[in-house]
Amino acid sequence: MKDKPTVLLVEDNPVSLKVIAATLAKQGVQVTAVVSGKEAIEAVKQNPYDLIFMDIELPGMNGMETTKTIRKWESCRSDPHTPLTIIAMTAHESEETGQACINAGMDAVETKPLRPEKLKEILENLFIKEPFENTSVSSHIISLLEKEKSSVEPEKGLESEVRHLMIFMLGKEKYALDMKYLKKVMWAKNITRVPGLPPHILGIINIRGEIISVVDMKMLLGLSYETAEKPSIMITSAHGIETGLLVDSVDAIIDLPSLSIDPPMITFEKEYLDLIDGAARMDETFLIVLNYENIVQSEMMDIHKK
Amino acid sequence: MAMKSPKENSEFAVQSFEFILFKVADFLFGAPAEQVSRIHSGEKFKREELGQTPVDLGKAFYVLKETAVARPCLLEVKTGTGMKFFEVDMVEGLTRLDLSQVRKLPPLIASLKANRSFWGLALIGNRIACLVDLETLEMGEK
């Protein structure tokens, strides 16, 4: 008898895979992760999973085709079994996509990014309301203790281990900043230059009568890329002070486990190391995660000290 | 033009202030009108007769490292230590600003500004003017 529910996670994006796997593991399930439809089919044939989270946009055989193959295999099985629960994960929140997933044999469709609270809800609906059978008193007590522990601080632990980040581009490089500092994003226009400031302070903007300083992030980080055709300004705020950050483009919002952020690489110059929390591998590139608090308190900004 | 600058005015019953607007390169500046006793422009004044070298506001605010030609306008300002002259590129004229049009410098600008005489900003239509106190302006600050 299994101690924990088993979940097969099928996701080709390494960052999403890490995030979802870490979140699922936190919920007390045993996770197996694969990155393609072919691997998923092999895994299902060899192991009795309780649940599958299936990304629909997989390379080669996509999530819908994979699900159809799994359902076909299930229908040919001679041994008694309960059909697998397959939940689609998609970035496209459309009725059409949802219906296509159901038609392919999936049981439910969830839109990415899958937030921890949503995953918890799915797992509770599937497993907690009908507790899995324990053959011994000790395993029952252990499960009760685990439940109690998770009810004491269910979200706090997750919050500290997963960072909600806004990804933005500076030249060809991907950077990220914690979402909690971001107020809004706007096109960069009508920036008034102010004389006598360091080159990384681009000037000021007037947002409905409120004057906000604008920092050129490329200059601040010593990057020599040319200015983008249509740059954006991210309006950030900390300790009551708002600052506009000029970036080439704003890309996406992601949840990233802190554990997947490695310390800053030694290739960064020493003066910029304090501004960087670390780097995470993402697709074919690296995502550089910035430390906003250190940026605003750096020598180059020095807002709060003075 | 007997108004006090907002910075010095303790009687905030006065809700509007007169400023001289002028440009140095592409930058729009404003100075309390009461500080400027005279505006010299064109060829009506002779620099050699001023008895002192005028302050180039472009240099004071690091707008340009060098200016090949002297700026065409001079603002004459009476200070506690005598008269001072400031070179500017163009004088736009006199304007009255409501207090609601004037803003303090945002913290980042206040922290990193080149000259302490730069004390505020004025919202004039779609433009923003840098407000400076010419009486206290000193060269070479950083």
Side-chain angles (χ1 to χ4, degrees):
Chain A
M1 181 57 68
K2 291 178 293 182
D3 287 332
K4 295 175 175 179
T6 51
V7 174
L8 177 66
L9 174 61
V10 192
E11 170 64 82
D12 66 312
N13 181 313
V15 175
S16 296
L17 187 138
K18 275 186 184 175
V19 174
I20 301 168
T23 313
L24 285 169
K26 270 280 162 192
Q27 302 291 342
V29 300
Q30 192 179 321
V31 188
T32 304
V34 294
V35 296
S36 71
K38 201 177 166 188
E39 284 179 279
I41 292 162
E42 286 306 309
V44 165
K45 285 179 181 173
Q46 288 170 22
N47 303 287
Y49 292 101
D50 297 303
L51 170 65
I52 300 177
F53 279 108
M54 178 82 70
D55 181 23
I56 64 167
E57 287 175 356
L58 294 169
M61 184 186 278
N62 67 29
M64 291 187 212
E65 289 165 346
T66 307
T67 301
K68 282 179 190 170
T69 309
I70 292 171
R71 293 300 186 213
K72 197 174 173 184
W73 170 76
E74 279 185 313
S75 66
C76 296
R77 280 175 68 179
S78 54
D79 55 320
H81 65 277
T82 310
L84 272 164
T85 302
I86 304 178
I87 296 179
M89 301 185 294
T90 171
H92 310 289
E93 198 177 358
S94 75
E95 209 171 293
E96 209 172 274
T97 307
Q99 193 53 52
C101 290
I102 301 298
N103 292 346
M106 293 175 173
D107 297 285
V109 183
E110 294 295 339
T111 310
K112 289 200 284 186
L114 287 179
R115 300 262 169 202
E117 53 271 25
K118 185 67 200 171
L119 285 172
K120 192 179 172 190
E121 187 190 319
I122 294 168
L123 295 173
E124 276 178 356
N125 285 338
L126 281 168
F127 307 117
I128 309 297
K129 282 178 184 170
E130 296 169 8
F132 24 97
E133 220 179 300
N134 291 307
T135 50
S136 68
V137 175
S138 60
S139 60
H140 178 62
I141 292 170
I142 286 167
S143 75
L144 287 175
L145 289 174
E146 280 178 352
K147 246 183 180 176
E148 193 180 341
K149 190 184 169 189
S150 65
S151 66
V152 173
E153 40 183 28
E155 297 300 330
K156 199 178 168 190
L158 280 177
E159 280 301 317
S160 62
E161 288 171 24
V162 177
R163 287 176 69 172
H164 308 298
L165 300 168
M166 168 64 89
I167 300 179
F168 57 93
M169 299 295 295
L170 296 177
K172 292 173 185 170
E173 295 174 16
K174 275 184 180 173
Y175 286 80
L177 206 62
D178 286 289
M179 279 293 291
K180 63 182 175 184
Y181 299 113
L182 190 69
K183 283 191 74 181
K184 67 175 166 184
V185 179
M186 53 190 286
W187 293 120
K189 56 182 181 182
N190 302 328
I191 299 173
T192 302
R193 291 195 303 135
V194 176
L197 293 174
H200 62 275
I201 312 295
L202 203 60
I204 48 180
I205 46 170
N206 176 3
I207 302 179
R208 293 187 204 93
E210 194 181 349
I211 304 293
I212 295 171
S213 316
V214 179
V215 177
D216 184 334
M217 286 302 284
K218 280 189 283 198
M219 293 291 280
L220 184 85
L221 296 169
L223 303 172
S224 54
Y225 294 112
E226 284 180 10
T227 307
E229 267 184 34
K230 211 173 176 186
S232 300
I233 295 176
M234 302 195 305
I235 306 293
T236 59
S237 177
H239 313 293
I241 297 175
E242 292 188 353
T243 310
L245 306 180
L246 184 85
V247 299
D248 285 346
S249 65
V250 175
D251 232 27
I253 300 168
I254 61 158
D255 289 344
L256 191 67
S258 300
L259 285 175
S260 66
I261 302 171
D262 298 322
M265 292 167 283
I266 51 167
T267 48
F268 288 112
E269 286 182 39
K270 200 180 171 187
E271 61 182 300
Y272 303 115
L273 277 178
D274 277 351
L275 313 183
I276 295 163
D277 269 349
R281 193 161 175 76
M282 198 177 173
D283 301 327
E284 299 297 306
T285 58
F286 276 101
L287 175 70
I288 299 160
V289 182
L290 298 175
N291 185 319
Y292 184 82
E293 292 281 349
N294 284 358
I295 287 176
V296 294
Q297 289 178 42
S298 67
E299 285 284 313
M300 288 182 282
M301 303 273 277
D302 213 8
I303 303 174
H304 302 297
K305 282 181 193 166
K306 289 183 182 174
Chain B
M1 294 198 288
M3 306 293 290
K4 290 204 168 209
S5 78
K7 191 185 177 190
E8 294 176 341
N9 194 344
S10 58
E11 294 171 21
F12 271 84
V14 181
Q15 293 294 308
S16 65
F17 309 86
E18 284 183 323
F19 283 85
I20 296 283
L21 295 181
F22 54 92
K23 282 184 109 172
V24 178
D26 293 331
F27 299 102
L28 181 65
F29 287 88
E34 62 149 19
Q35 293 185 345
V36 181
S37 53
R38 219 170 152 190
I39 298 166
H40 303 274
S41 63
E43 293 177 357
K44 291 176 185 169
F45 67 96
K46 290 180 180 171
R47 284 166 192 273
E48 57 272 21
E49 289 175 6
L50 297 175
Q52 60 180 273
T53 308
V55 175
D56 182 347
L57 277 178
K59 284 182 183 170
F61 283 93
Y62 302 87
V63 172
L64 295 169
K65 283 181 184 170
E66 296 291 333
T67 44
V69 207
R71 299 183 193 280
C73 299
L74 277 184
L75 301 179
E76 188 176 327
V77 174
K78 193 177 179 181
T79 70
T81 54
M83 300 304 286
K84 262 188 184 176
F85 296 90
F86 295 90
E87 282 183 358
V88 300
D89 287 321
M90 189 185 91
V91 177
E92 286 201 358
L94 187 71
T95 190
R96 182 170 281 276
L97 296 175
D98 283 345
L99 189 60
S100 62
Q101 290 176 270
V102 180
R103 296 285 184 279
K104 286 197 317 187
L105 295 176
L108 186 57
I109 308 293
S111 167
L112 298 170
K113 65 185 180 179
N115 201 298
R116 68 176 172 184
S117 67
F118 176 24
W119 61 269
L121 298 161
L123 310 183
I124 306 164
N126 290 329
R127 300 191 300 167
I128 301 175
C130 301
L131 301 180
V132 293
D133 185 347
L134 294 177
E135 282 182 359
T136 60
L137 193 142
E138 287 173 34
M139 292 290 290
E141 283 184 28
K142 198 66 187 171

